[in-house]
């Protein structure tokens, strides 16, 4: 059930054959599509071993940089980066999947390419810094969940040399290890890693979880509110119950016109996405 996606590495050169845009990452897509019998199926689209990056461009002070990849039977993904003063950041992510790919979309009612555009939530990164995010991040829009992990990217590379300075995403701590990708069954509910019972002490009874208040803002307006107590029941050699402590848990996510995503991170490699 784990994603068997290939890692992608793209090194874009300028006219002098110097690196101007570099990225290495892993991604996968969960897609719900309508069949000819008018019901809906879930499918997973992973990257193939053969990926091209036609159309990628370096960018400059007045033009956005573009990282574009093509894979499989007519699928493509791209992100553009803009530069402002001394920082750069991702702007929009564009994903096109082709339902004519019958291996991925058997019996699809709609035939041909379908394009999804989402706003990237990447924070501004200092120029001459590499953006790194080992932990899972995902975007949901129009029946598509885009999932990313083990991301390394630098736009507007200076002097053709990839920087050794890193800017980590919020989900990464300095000692974070790469997160195990989620499965299709739990991507919209919960994914957990690095939770293990102590082998030397007997488990203590777990009290009811403390209720937390979580919120998201879109601009200066609150767009999502959640008041909830959360307890995870992890199936291992021995059952493990873990309460999520709202005092040490941070809330992140996005609000759209038709969907909203709330991501809770307890700082101990536990990420819950609603």
């Amino acid at each position: 059930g784990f994603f068997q996606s290939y890692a992608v590495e793209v090194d874009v050169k300028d006219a002098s054959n110097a690196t101007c845009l570099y990225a290495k990452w892993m991604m996968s897509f969960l897609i719900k599509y309508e069949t000819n019998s008018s019901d809906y199926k879930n499918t997973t689209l992973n990257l193939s071993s053969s990926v091209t990056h036609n159309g990628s461009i370096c960018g400059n002070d007045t033009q956005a940089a573009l990282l574009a990849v093509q894979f499989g039977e007519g699928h493509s993904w791209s992100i553009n980066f803009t530069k402002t003063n001394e920082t750069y950041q991702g702007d929009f992510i564009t994903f096109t999947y082709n339902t004519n790919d019958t291996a991925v979309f058997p019996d699809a009612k709609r035939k041909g390419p379908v394009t999804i555009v989402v706003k990237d939530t990447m924070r501004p990164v200092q120029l001459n810094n590499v953006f790194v995010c080992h932990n899972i991040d995902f975007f949901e829009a129009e029946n598509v969940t885009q999932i990313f992990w083990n991301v390394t990217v630098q736009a507007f590379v200076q002097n053709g040399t990839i920087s050794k300075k890193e800017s980590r995403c919020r989900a990464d701590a300095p000692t974070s290890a790469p997160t195990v990708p989620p499965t299709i069954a739990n991507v919209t509910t919960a994914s957990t890693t690095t939770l293990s019972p102590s082998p030397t002490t007997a488990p203590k009874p777990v009290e009811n979880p403390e209720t937390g208040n979580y919120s998201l803002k879109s601009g200066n307006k609150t767009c999502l509110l959640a008041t909830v107590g959360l307890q995870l029941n992890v199936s291992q050699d021995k059952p493990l119950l873990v309460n999520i402590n709202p005092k040490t848990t941070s809330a992140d996510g996005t609000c759209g016109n038709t969907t909203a995503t709330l991501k809770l991170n307890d700082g101990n490699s536990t990420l819950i996405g609603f």
Side-chain angles (χ1 to χ4, degrees):
F2 290 115
F3 296 130
Q4 301 300 318
S5 188
Y6 288 85
V8 188
E9 186 172 20
V10 177
D11 188 347
V12 183
K13 307 286 188 180
D14 62 16
S16 63
N17 202 36
T19 297
C20 61
L21 174 60
Y22 175 82
K24 186 176 182 180
W25 75 103
M26 300 188 75
M27 65 181 175
S28 190
F29 307 91
L30 304 182
I31 304 169
K32 180 191 288 186
Y33 69 97
E34 188 177 7
T35 67
N36 285 316
S37 56
S38 296
D39 62 349
Y40 284 84
K41 287 185 177 180
N42 291 313
T43 189
T44 303
L45 176 60
N46 294 319
L47 295 181
S48 62
S49 58
S50 177
V51 177
T52 59
H53 55 90
N54 299 325
S56 296
I57 57 176
C58 295
N60 52 42
D61 291 339
T62 59
Q63 182 182 26
L66 179 67
L67 178 65
V69 295
Q70 304 82 37
F71 59 98
E73 300 296 325
H75 314 298
S76 63
W77 181 91
S78 67
I79 180 173
N80 67 318
F81 297 92
T82 54
K83 181 167 65 170
T84 304
N85 297 325
E86 297 301 316
T87 64
Y88 68 91
Q89 67 184 105
D91 194 4
F92 286 97
I93 293 175
T94 303
F95 170 52
T96 298
Y97 61 93
N98 184 7
T99 57
N100 287 326
D101 185 350
T102 56
V104 181
F105 303 97
D107 196 35
K109 183 176 183 179
R110 179 178 178 178
K111 299 295 185 182
V114 181
T115 298
I116 308 296
V117 179
V118 296
K119 177 72 175 174
D120 188 19
T121 58
M122 174 182 176
R123 294 184 296 179
V125 179
Q126 287 292 319
L127 289 176
N128 202 34
N129 277 27
V130 177
F131 175 76
V132 176
C133 193
H134 291 306
N135 279 275
I136 296 165
D137 197 5
F138 57 90
F139 300 93
E140 294 177 282
E142 301 180 43
N143 292 329
V144 176
T145 302
Q146 305 182 45
I147 304 158
F148 309 90
W149 67 101
N150 288 351
V151 175
T152 300
V153 62
Q154 183 179 357
F156 306 102
V157 176
Q158 299 176 0
N159 301 319
T161 304
I162 305 301
S163 176
K164 297 185 182 301
K165 298 178 182 179
E166 291 185 354
S167 293
R168 291 294 188 103
C169 64
R170 284 183 288 257
D172 276 11
T175 57
S176 289
T179 307
V180 176
T183 66
I184 193 170
N186 69 13
V187 68
T188 56
T189 54
S191 59
T192 64
T193 60
T194 326
L195 295 174
S196 56
S198 172
T200 59
T201 58
K204 296 180 180 180
V206 178
E207 302 294 333
N208 288 334
E210 184 178 347
T211 300
N213 295 300
Y214 309 101
S215 63
L216 296 179
K217 286 186 177 293
S218 178
N220 59 359
K221 295 182 179 180
T222 299
C223 60
L224 188 150
L225 290 171
T227 300
V228 60
L230 293 170
Q231 183 180 88
L232 304 181
N233 187 336
V234 184
S235 298
Q236 294 184 329
D237 294 336
K238 296 180 180 180
L240 174 65
L241 295 180
V242 178
N243 285 341
I244 301 301
N245 183 357
K247 296 178 181 178
T248 59
T249 298
S250 61
D252 194 7
T254 57
C255 293
N257 293 329
T258 59
T259 62
T261 299
L262 174 65
K263 294 183 287 186
L264 302 179
N265 190 336
D266 75 342
N268 293 310
S269 298
T270 302
L271 174 69
I272 306 174
F274 297 95

